[in-house]
Amino acid sequence: MTDHALDGYEISTDPARLDANLVHDWLSADTHWALGRTREMHDRALANSLNFGLYEESSGRQAAYARIVTDYATFAWLCDVYVCRDDRGKGLGTGLVEAIAAHLTPFGLSRLTLATKDAHGVYEKVGFRTLTAPEQWMTMGLIDPGPIGI
């Protein structure tokens, strides 16, 4: 998938375009959810996910990243959404998530989920909402038994 998205930027799922070093640096050093993530773990996550890069058209420079974990039939999880600090405030995160939702729509998935600590407003713009029946959802922390900051 290559989609001419926002003015001067394009979105692609081409793994050859993805700057894995840059994405690892972003996530492992500048996020609360992946702080300290090892390169080996990062590479394994990329290899087993559908990865989206957002690139500046004029230079090819990667400006954002997101990945999807999915079975392509019933369920998808949006994670590791990151917009480069220099490119924030331009609507790139919203545009990227809209493009991801459009890319997944033809698969007929029952749901696309995500977890966020502080970006609810960004995702609500695209159509995400809080769980209507959170008591039906469960989680098992195999390494980390609970949410960050609580």
Side-chain angles (χ1 to χ4, degrees):
M1 168 197 167
T2 298
D3 181 36
H4 289 276
L6 306 162
D7 291 336
Y9 293 88
E10 63 182 350
I11 297 168
S12 176
T13 59
D14 181 356
R17 291 189 69 186
L18 198 64
D19 187 337
N21 291 325
L22 177 64
V23 172
H24 177 254
D25 288 346
W26 283 342
L27 298 177
S28 67
D30 194 35
T31 67
H32 61 271
W33 68 88
L35 196 62
R37 182 180 290 173
T38 67
R39 183 56 196 259
E40 185 275 329
M41 183 181 289
H42 172 74
D43 289 346
R44 199 168 7 126
L46 266 62
N48 292 294
S49 300
L50 173 60
N51 300 283
F52 289 79
L54 185 141
Y55 305 90
E56 193 175 59
E57 285 181 329
S58 61
S59 67
R61 176 186 66 85
Q62 187 167 346
Y65 170 78
R67 71 183 177 96
I68 293 288
V69 179
T70 185
D71 61 7
Y72 293 98
T74 63
F75 183 82
W77 172 43
L78 172 63
C79 53
D80 288 343
V81 179
Y82 185 92
V83 177
C84 177
R85 287 191 175 272
D86 294 341
D87 295 289
R88 291 180 186 171
K90 301 176 184 177
L92 300 180
T94 300
L96 179 58
V97 174
E98 287 173 341
I100 291 169
H103 181 83
L104 294 173
T105 296
F107 294 104
L109 304 173
S110 299
R111 68 184 36 92
L112 172 58
T113 64
L114 65 84
T116 183
K117 181 179 177 182
D118 56 4
H120 294 77
V122 172
Y123 297 107
E124 287 169 349
K125 290 179 198 173
V126 181
F128 282 89
R129 61 185 187 279
T130 58
L131 295 173
T132 55
E135 68 279 1
Q136 294 178 3
W137 290 82
M138 297 178 73
T139 185
M140 178 187 287
L142 299 177
I143 296 174
D144 180 357
I148 297 170
I150 293 180

